[in-house]
Amino acid sequence: MWIRSTMVYRTSFVLMAVGNFAMTALDFAAVAIIFGHTRVLGGFTLTETAFLYGSSGVALGLADLVVGNLDQLGRRVRDGTMDTLLVRPVPVYAQATADRFALRRLGRLTQAAVVLGWSMTRIDVAWTAVDVLLVPVMLVSGAAIFAAVYTIGAAFQFWANDAAEVQNSFTYGGNALTQYPPTVFAKDLVRGATFVVPLAFVNWMPALHILGRGNPLRLPGWVDFCSPLVALATCALAGFAWRTGLRSYRSTGS
């Protein structure tokens, strides 16, 4: 329904998507400006950093396109319109994610995909079958991890009512973090992004293997292949958090 309503005004949709593309491109422009003053950043070249930027952006773009509207759940909890989702014969989660589905978010996804594709043709890597397979696994796993973070943030809004910015700090903030090499950050921050909120498995860990880089935390090599397992674990945690939050929901009575 939302796609059909969007396509009624095709020119508006195209302009919004292009604007979304251009706005997110400014993030990469900032990266390019940094490399205008230095050849390496934390030991990573421009193309290697672009690979991190693109892989993180594609993962977030996929999650944002599918479940990004969960950050509006707090508004429904506050104004009582959450009740309308509970009485329909459709899973509440499906309704919450599809509510006001914004196809224009393809602009963000496309921009990141362009940067990723460009970087893969420029990085100095002897591509093996394992490396080639690891790229789609990394993107799908990263999208699942971001989707789980979206879901956990939405579940928290059942109690907090207005926690969209807290949720965004881990989704958009996590994207901003993983766009850059882990070597530019303090090790305590990298540990937190690995063992507390596992954003490092969105792209850092598999990308380090593809790029032939050592792990800044000196973790064993098999950790680079753990993104799918981490994604499954975070999705399971997100499912538990969502069910718990939904059971705790109390209508406004309006």
Side-chain angles (χ1 to χ4, degrees), residues 68 70-75 78 150 153-154 156-157 160-172:
L70 284 175
D71 62 3
Q72 300 300 315
L73 190 73
R75 175 182 56 79
R78 290 195 307 275
Y150 269 113
F156 179 64
Q157 293 191 57
N161 295 340
D162 189 9
E165 292 306 317
V166 175
Q167 178 179 340
N168 291 342
S169 68
F170 289 98
T171 50
Y172 298 113

Side-chain angles (χ1 to χ4, degrees), residues 57-100:
V58 169
L60 178 67
L62 288 170
D64 191 43
L65 180 67
V66 178
V67 301
N69 286 323
L70 284 175
D71 62 3
Q72 300 300 315
L73 190 73
R75 175 182 56 79
R76 283 192 171 276
V77 173
R78 290 195 307 275
D79 61 22
T81 55
M82 184 70 188
D83 295 3
T84 62
L85 306 185
L86 297 172
V87 298
R88 294 171 181 164
V90 179
V92 175
Y93 187 81
Q95 295 182 69
T97 55
D99 183 36
R100 298 188 178 277

Side-chain angles (χ1 to χ4, degrees), residues 9-10 22 24 39 44 69 71 73-74 99 106-107 109 112-113 117 126 132 139 169 174-175 177 221 229 237 254:
Y9 304 98
R10 293 176 183 266
T24 53
R39 294 183 62 185
F44 285 66
N69 286 323
D71 62 3
L73 190 73
D99 183 36
L106 282 173
L109 177 59
V132 172
L139 298 179
S169 68
N175 174 53
L177 178 74
L229 296 177
L237 177 62
S254 59

Side-chain angles (χ1 to χ4, degrees), residues 3-254:
I3 292 175
R4 286 201 303 268
S5 67
T6 298
M7 290 297 105
V8 170
Y9 304 98
R10 293 176 183 266
T11 302
S12 176
F13 162 71
V14 171
L15 291 175
M16 291 292 289
V18 170
N20 202 290
F21 183 101
M23 289 182 63
T24 53
L26 292 176
D27 291 337
F28 188 67
V31 174
I33 289 172
I34 292 174
F35 279 94
H37 298 276
T38 181
R39 294 183 62 185
V40 293
L41 181 65
F44 285 66
T45 64
L46 172 60
T47 52
E48 290 172 331
T49 304
F51 182 73
L52 294 176
Y53 173 96
S55 55
S56 176
V58 169
L60 178 67
L62 288 170
D64 191 43
L65 180 67
V66 178
V67 301
N69 286 323
L70 284 175
D71 62 3
Q72 300 300 315
L73 190 73
R75 175 182 56 79
R76 283 192 171 276
V77 173
R78 290 195 307 275
D79 61 22
T81 55
M82 184 70 188
D83 295 3
T84 62
L85 306 185
L86 297 172
V87 298
R88 294 171 181 164
V90 179
V92 175
Y93 187 81
Q95 295 182 69
T97 55
D99 183 36
R100 298 188 178 277
F101 181 79
L103 195 61
R104 68 178 182 276
R105 290 174 175 171
L106 282 173
R108 168 189 290 275
L109 177 59
T110 303
Q111 186 269 336
V114 169
V115 174
L116 178 62
W118 173 79
S119 68
M120 290 177 65
T121 64
R122 297 298 185 94
I123 54 177
D124 185 16
V125 171
W127 290 95
T128 65
V130 173
D131 294 335
V132 172
L133 179 61
L134 195 56
V135 171
V137 170
M138 171 180 63
L139 298 179
V140 173
S141 300
I145 292 171
F146 273 129
V149 174
Y150 269 113
T151 303
I152 293 172
F156 179 64
Q157 293 191 57
F158 281 113
W159 293 283
N161 295 340
D162 189 9
E165 292 306 317
V166 175
Q167 178 179 340
N168 291 342
S169 68
F170 289 98
T171 50
Y172 298 113
N175 174 53
L177 178 74
T178 52
Q179 287 176 353
Y180 292 92
T183 49
V184 304
F185 300 106
K187 286 192 176 181
D188 286 341
L189 180 59
V190 177
R191 289 190 186 96
T194 303
F195 301 110
V196 181
V197 182
L199 296 172
F201 292 91
V202 169
N203 66 339
W204 277 351
M205 296 303 175
L208 289 175
H209 176 84
I210 294 172
L211 298 174
R213 298 283 182 166
N215 192 297
L217 299 181
R218 302 182 183 277
L219 298 176
W222 55 263
V223 174
D224 298 340
F225 300 93
C226 288
S227 289
L229 296 177
V230 173
L232 287 174
T234 52
C235 286
L237 177 62
F240 173 77
W242 175 263
R243 290 190 296 272
T244 302
L246 190 61
R247 284 196 296 268
S248 70
Y249 171 69
R250 297 293 181 270
S251 174
T252 61
S254 59

